[in-house]
Each structure stands twice: as C-alpha cells, then as structure tokens.
C-alpha cells in the first residue's frame, strides 16, 4: 500500500465514529491487524497518526471488556458470545485464532503462567488454547446445559471451562497437569464470579470422572496415556450416557472407538461430538 493510500485510509478511519461502537469489535480487530502490518514501514507523522488510531481502538475494546465482565458477574453471560458467534461469516473449520479469541482474552484477563513448574511426561502434548469459535460450536452441538457437568481433560488456562460456564450455566471442571496454569485459571474464574467452575491440578489419569456428562479433549496426550483415558471413559459410558468431544489429532484415534458413535463426518480441525453407541440387537 502506498503512503498516499495509507494517509487516505487513516483519514477515513479517523472520521468513522462507529468504530467505537460495542458491536464493531470484529472490525476494530481487523483495523488493529492492519496497523500491525504497517508498523515496520511507518515513520514520522504517519506513525503518530497510526498510534493515535490504535490508542482509540484499544480504549474502545477495553470499555467493551469491562462491560462484558460486569454482565458476567451479574449472571448475564448466557448468550453473550453465542449472539456474536451467529454474526460470523467465516467457516468454523481451521485451527487458527480470530477476533473472537481477542475478545475472550480481553474478558478473561488471564495472567502469564510462565513456562510451567512441572515438565511434561512423555506422550503429554504442549498446551494450546482451543479457538473460541470451536468452543461455541461444541457447546451448541453437544447441547450442554445447566444440568450437565463438562470435564475438560487438559484444561490449560481454563478457556473452555470458563466459556462453557459463562454461556450455558453448566457446572464445569478443568483437569490440568500444570499447577501454575491452574492457579491462573482459578484467579480468573473468581474475578468473574464463576462459582460453578472448578480447576484441579492433577494427572488426568487420576481424575474422578464420575461427575462428568460431557468430556472435552483438545489432544492433551497421545499414545498409551490417551489409551488409558479412553478406557476410563468407556467405563463411565457403560454406567450412564456421556458425550466425548474432541479437537485436533486425537479425533482420528477416538473416531475408531467401537463404543462411541457420531452422526457427522469427523475432521481434526473441527470439534467432533461422540455419544456412547447403543448395543446392537443382533
């Protein structure tokens, strides 16, 4: 983009009062991405104008995050993110992050846990947060509700349990190997008044699965550790109906489990929702 075109766009954006509207958070994210892309080539007065625009947009976002946090603390969370999710036009598929993740980050205000205090054991996978659009997709397709208990096996900083609680009112439990991550998640949940969210610092193989109705795994482990967890989940599925929701490479493994079924084709870059298969009458 030429300098003249950059000036013209900055002029247009400077005059656009709607950029500060609460419902234009996606557009603000796009503009901030554009400003990031320009940073290496901007200098002088143009750089100053770009920084002024950035400050304006970041202040609008901060005000929105504050209003959303207040609404969540008042128990008005259900529907907040779902309403905005319905406005999206982009495909759900894909493992990348988008503006909804920026929004969630601003609302949750998660601290930096550092590198983690416990080294991962073999077959444990390094933590990555589940993209927010996939969490909302999972909540809708699993029909998670206030009578359910969602157990996130490998919950990291707690994005899934907290977002599930905010949007559905369900009780949620995060099981996480790293105590430092659990500490961050607990602090964030308390600050938002999420009393039905619990985080446990433990090996998933030692977790009490008896309370769960829906289990979520974003490929937290592979190999024999994953096999051990699948055997434990199968035992739970023999006692009562459960759902197992997966994301990432573990989906292909879990799709091969004869005791689980799904009504949709599975793929690694979209959440798969499995139910316990009914015994055949033949």
């Amino acid at each position: 983009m030429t300098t003249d075109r950059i000036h013209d766009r900055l002029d247009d954006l400077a005059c656009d009062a709607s950029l500060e509207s609460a419902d234009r958070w996606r557009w603000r994210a796009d503009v901030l991405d554009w400003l990031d892309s320009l940073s290496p080539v901007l200098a002088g007065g143009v750089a100053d104008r770009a920084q002024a625009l950035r400050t304006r947009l970041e202040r609008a976002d901060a005000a929105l995050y504050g209003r959303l946090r207040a609404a969540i603390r008042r128990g008005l969370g259900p529907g907040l993110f779902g309403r905005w999710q319905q406005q999206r036009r982009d495909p759900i598929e894909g493992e990348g992050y988008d503006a909804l993740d920026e929004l969630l980050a601003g609302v949750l205000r998660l601290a930096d846990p550092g590198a983690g205090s416990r080294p991962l054991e073999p077959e444990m996978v390094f933590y990555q947060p589940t993209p927010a659009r996939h969490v909302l997709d999972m909540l809708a397709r699993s029909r998670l509700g206030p009578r359910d208990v969602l157990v996130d096996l490998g919950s990291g900083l707690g994005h899934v349990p907290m977002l599930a609680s905010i949007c559905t009112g369900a009780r949620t439990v995060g099981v996480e190997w790293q105590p430092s991550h659990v500490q961050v998640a607990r602090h964030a949940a308390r600050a938002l008044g999420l009393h039905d969210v619990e985080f446990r610092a433990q090996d998933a193989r030692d977790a009490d699965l008896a309370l769960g109705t829906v289990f979520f795994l974003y490929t937290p482990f592979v190999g024999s550790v994953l096999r051990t967890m699948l055997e434990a989940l199968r035992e739970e599925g023999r006692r009562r109906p459960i759902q197992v929701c997966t994301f990432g490479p573990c989906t292909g493994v879990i799709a091969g489990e004869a005791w689980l079924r799904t009504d949709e084709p599975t793929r690694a870059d979209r959440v798969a929702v499995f139910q316990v298969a009914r015994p055949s009458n033949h």
Side-chain angles (χ1 to χ4, degrees):
M1 181 178 286
T2 65
T3 301
D4 287 343
R5 291 188 65 186
I6 291 172
H7 274 289
D8 289 343
R9 190 173 186 198
L10 288 173
D11 286 340
D12 291 340
L13 292 168
C15 296
D16 186 355
S18 71
L19 270 177
E20 293 166 282
S21 299
D23 61 356
R24 300 212 68 192
W25 55 274
R26 287 188 187 279
W27 177 235
R28 286 197 295 275
D30 289 342
V31 175
L32 287 168
D33 284 344
W34 175 66
L35 293 174
D36 285 340
S37 72
L38 294 179
S39 293
V41 298
L42 294 183
V46 181
D48 293 340
R49 292 182 65 201
Q51 182 57 47
L53 177 60
R54 175 185 296 280
T55 299
R56 175 187 163 201
L57 300 183
E58 289 176 346
R59 285 176 178 168
D61 281 340
L64 173 61
Y65 302 152
R67 289 194 295 272
L68 292 177
R69 288 174 62 84
I72 291 167
R73 285 192 291 266
R74 294 197 304 272
L76 303 178
L80 283 177
F81 290 91
R83 182 171 69 250
W84 288 316
Q85 173 72 348
Q86 292 172 1
Q87 299 171 1
R88 70 172 297 113
R89 295 183 295 272
D90 300 329
I92 291 174
E93 291 83 357
E95 296 189 68
Y97 301 99
D98 62 18
L100 188 60
D101 297 287
E102 291 292 330
L103 179 68
L104 183 59
V107 170
L108 297 184
R109 293 184 185 174
L110 296 169
D112 183 356
S117 54
R118 299 178 69 187
L120 295 178
E121 290 189 359
E123 301 183 321
M124 290 183 177
V125 177
F126 184 80
Y127 165 68
Q128 286 185 298
T130 307
R133 67 185 182 281
H134 288 292
V135 182
L136 295 180
D137 182 42
M138 181 265 288
L139 298 180
R141 289 165 53 220
S142 66
R143 299 180 181 177
L144 191 80
R147 296 183 178 181
D148 284 304
V149 179
L150 171 71
V151 178
D152 182 4
L153 298 170
S155 57
L157 297 177
H159 295 76
V160 173
M162 284 190 277
L163 185 51
S165 176
I166 289 167
C167 291
T168 71
R171 181 185 173 192
T172 62
V173 178
V175 178
E176 170 56 37
W177 172 259
Q178 289 288 1
S180 57
H181 290 46
V182 168
Q183 183 177 3
V184 168
R186 286 173 176 167
H187 177 79
R190 284 196 301 269
L192 286 169
L194 300 178
H195 305 297
D196 289 328
V197 178
E198 178 184 356
F199 293 101
R200 301 176 180 179
Q202 64 180 153
D203 189 320
R205 290 167 291 189
D206 299 327
D208 179 8
L209 306 181
L211 50 77
T213 61
V214 179
F215 297 87
F216 179 69
L217 300 90
Y218 179 7
T219 313
F221 24 69
V222 296
S224 63
V225 180
L226 178 59
R227 176 54 50 197
T228 298
M229 289 309 308
L230 287 175
E231 288 300 318
L233 289 171
R234 184 171 68 171
E235 287 301 312
E236 294 300 322
R238 287 175 175 170
R239 300 185 183 102
R240 66 190 192 285
I242 64 171
Q243 294 186 85
V244 179
C245 302
T246 66
F247 186 60
C250 74
T251 294
V253 175
I254 295 174
E257 292 292 297
W259 63 279
L260 290 172
R261 65 172 180 84
T262 181
D263 299 326
E264 302 172 309
T266 59
R267 48 187 296 168
D269 63 350
R270 187 176 185 185
V271 169
V273 179
F274 298 93
Q275 294 84 30
V276 176
R278 295 185 180 90
S280 173
N281 294 325
H282 302 287

